[in-house]
Amino acid sequence: MFENDRVRVWQVRLDPGQTQRLHKHEHPYVVVAVQSASNLIQTIDGQTIDAPEPAGHVVYRPAGAVHMLTNVGDTTYVGRIIELLG
């Protein structure tokens, strides 16, 4: 959606039951929920974390975690990811 030398903004959309592939964020980032959903975070070491994201919810996450995100609810999830590059 947007990128310069300091930030990269992109959007994730997960339909109910859809899973985002395993990935790693190389930079710290902020997630802004545009459309709410009930999500689960699954870490590479097998940990499962409830991650409900109501519309407007904002969360900061540090760099480095390897995980995947699954929409376990019945609504489509849309989130904006703002990676802090510089």
Side-chain angles (χ1 to χ4, degrees):
M1 296 182 75
F2 176 82
E3 184 172 353
N4 65 23
D5 61 335
R6 296 196 176 260
V7 299
R8 178 182 305 129
V9 181
W10 50 281
Q11 182 166 286
V12 60
R13 176 192 167 108
L14 293 175
D15 291 323
Q18 190 174 12
T19 298
Q20 189 180 41
R21 65 178 172 77
L22 194 65
H23 62 280
K24 178 180 179 180
H25 291 269
E26 299 293 335
H27 306 282
Y29 62 103
V30 174
V31 180
V32 180
V34 177
Q35 286 181 218
S36 60
S38 297
N39 296 320
L40 284 178
I41 296 171
Q42 296 161 301
T43 65
I44 196 166
D45 63 0
Q47 186 179 19
T48 300
I49 303 162
D50 274 332
E53 295 194 54
H57 182 253
V58 178
V59 64
Y60 169 83
R61 303 232 186 254
V66 178
H67 65 278
M68 58 187 178
L69 184 68
T70 301
N71 179 348
V72 296
D74 56 5
T75 59
T76 297
Y77 172 67
V78 177
R80 299 258 167 83
I81 312 301
I82 304 153
E83 290 182 294
L84 308 171
L85 307 176

